[in-house]
Amino acid sequence: MKNHLQGMNLASLELFLVAAENENFSAAAEYLSITPAAVSRSIKRLEERIGIELFSRNTRKIKLTPEGKIYYKKCSEILESLISIERELKLQKESVAGRLKISVPESFFNYKMAPYLNKFCEQYPNLKLDFHVTNRNIDFVAETYDLSVRLIQPETKLEPFLIKKKLHDATSGLFASPEYLTNNSMIQSPSDIKNHQCINFSISENNKKFLWNSVDNHSKRDFHYSNQIQVFDSILATKVLAMNGCGIVHLFKFAVLNELQSNKLVEILPEYSINHTWQFCFLYPESNRNLAKLRVFIDYFIENIK
């Protein structure tokens, strides 16, 4: 496709269509604010490129050749198709209006959605977005949400009226500051973690914990050990504590990329969690399936989030 476009001057096609419609180079020149000689040269180059004579010429007037008429008809159809697509896209963009109420987990919103929101808002300026950044599972019926991003496990049971669309596969790991690791005993296997400070995250509403059982995929044991510090509701606060040497934290790797690069955090036992992934999904009620505003939001982020 790229090679074909390099040899095609789209402006010459526009010029050809105007000249063919009027069968007059001077009229085309006046319409396009160029000289008749420029029109003639452009048409000549087009004919040479495609190897077909499009116009028969004499001293008094020009006429489309039979091949020129076919070329004109096909080019006109293509142009009409492009105009129709542009009109359809414009109408779709203008119809995407109103408000979306969206629930998104804290770390996923900050690191995966926020970087792309500016471009989305530019594309759909009439759509208002209400983001409820929360790690709890919301009630679609009682709280009237349009859409949710949620971490879905194989054992997760969803209400029958909810539609699930996969958004992103994430990996997690254990992290601590270099200072913490220097000042404490070595960690060579998951069983060594019990001798360390573990900074755990929970949701205050139901005390649901972000379990550490993904640390050891071989035994599937739960490495949620006793700890001095328990953080409720803000999973990113656990990262701040780990960076300040307070212990080991379990986080998604996308949330610590900068800290790993700057050596503010170090990954612990990466070989034990390398094959474990967590699935983030869009959830929305079946009744919202055909909402244009919901469809463009979902499609945009599925396409952009990697």
Side-chain angles (χ1 to χ4, degrees):
M1 176 63 74
K2 185 177 179 181
N3 291 336
H4 288 303
L5 289 175
Q6 285 177 341
M8 181 180 290
N9 187 333
L10 296 179
S12 69
L13 289 181
E14 180 187 13
L15 189 149
F16 163 72
L17 288 170
V18 176
E21 193 171 317
N22 294 276
E23 288 193 323
N24 188 305
F25 286 175
S26 295
E30 183 178 350
Y31 179 81
L32 296 167
S33 300
I34 57 177
T35 65
V39 173
S40 180
R41 287 195 299 270
S42 180
I43 295 296
K44 190 65 178 175
R45 285 194 297 269
L46 176 61
E47 290 175 326
E48 290 172 353
R49 185 179 64 77
I50 63 178
I52 297 171
E53 188 177 65
L54 300 171
F55 292 94
S56 60
R57 301 161 174 86
N58 58 41
T59 54
R60 291 190 302 167
K61 64 177 183 177
I62 62 167
K63 286 189 66 176
L64 283 168
T65 63
E67 295 82 5
K69 291 179 180 178
I70 294 172
Y71 194 70
Y72 172 72
K73 182 175 182 295
K74 293 297 182 183
C75 288
S76 297
E77 290 172 356
I78 292 169
L79 181 62
E80 283 299 321
S81 178
L82 289 173
I83 291 171
S84 177
I85 291 170
E86 288 177 0
R87 189 183 300 115
E88 182 180 335
L89 290 173
K90 184 178 179 182
L91 286 172
Q92 183 191 63
K93 181 175 179 178
E94 291 174 348
S95 68
V96 176
R99 188 176 298 274
L100 278 178
K101 184 179 179 182
I102 310 159
S103 171
V104 190
E106 178 189 20
S107 57
F108 195 86
F109 178 81
N110 288 346
Y111 293 99
K112 286 297 182 182
M113 298 194 85
Y116 302 102
L117 271 172
N118 184 45
K119 292 288 186 183
F120 179 83
C121 291
E122 288 178 356
Q123 288 185 35
Y124 301 101
N126 297 322
L127 182 59
K128 309 299 181 185
L129 304 173
D130 290 348
F131 285 103
H132 294 251
V133 182
T134 174
N135 295 299
R136 68 180 180 85
N137 290 327
I138 53 95
D139 185 333
F140 273 95
V141 176
E143 301 179 80
T144 63
Y145 278 88
D146 298 301
L147 181 68
S148 174
V149 175
R150 278 292 163 263
L151 193 59
I152 302 298
Q153 304 278 20
E155 66 276 10
T156 301
K157 293 182 180 179
L158 300 175
E159 293 92 335
F161 64 86
L162 289 178
I163 295 175
K164 179 183 77 172
K165 275 201 171 185
K166 178 183 169 183
L167 175 57
H168 178 71
D169 282 330
T171 55
S172 64
L174 299 184
F175 307 94
S177 69
E179 292 77 15
Y180 176 85
L181 296 174
T182 299
N183 297 329
N184 291 274
S185 58
M186 291 181 61
I187 303 173
Q188 296 179 315
S189 71
S191 61
D192 294 330
I193 298 174
K194 63 185 177 183
N195 301 316
H196 287 261
Q197 285 289 348
C198 298
I199 306 166
N200 286 306
F201 165 77
S202 295
I203 298 172
S204 59
E205 183 182 49
N206 54 14
N207 201 29
K208 185 176 181 181
K209 298 174 175 61
F210 187 34
L211 298 179
W212 294 28
N213 55 352
S214 62
V215 174
D216 187 351
N217 287 312
H218 305 291
S219 67
K220 299 294 182 183
R221 291 174 294 176
D222 178 12
F223 287 92
H224 183 80
Y225 290 111
S226 299
N227 55 291
Q228 186 175 8
I229 301 176
Q230 181 84 10
V231 175
F232 290 87
D233 299 328
S234 176
I235 195 168
L236 294 184
T238 65
K239 180 174 76 169
V240 176
L241 290 171
M243 290 167 59
N244 283 280
C246 293
I248 302 169
V249 67
H250 182 207
L251 288 168
F252 295 112
K253 292 184 180 180
F254 63 69
V256 295
L257 292 178
N258 291 336
E259 289 75 19
L260 291 174
Q261 291 174 359
S262 61
N263 203 37
K264 293 178 181 177
L265 289 176
V266 176
E267 186 171 4
I268 301 167
L269 303 175
E271 67 275 16
Y272 282 89
S273 60
I274 192 168
N275 295 319
H276 188 90
T277 58
W278 306 76
Q279 191 174 100
F280 285 92
C281 297
F282 278 127
L283 298 178
Y284 57 95
E286 168 76 29
S287 58
N288 289 348
R289 178 191 291 272
N290 296 320
L291 290 179
K293 61 183 180 180
L294 190 72
R295 187 171 62 250
V296 297
F297 186 91
I298 289 173
D299 290 346
Y300 176 88
F301 283 99
I302 286 177
E303 180 181 350
N304 284 280
I305 292 178
K306 306 302 180 187

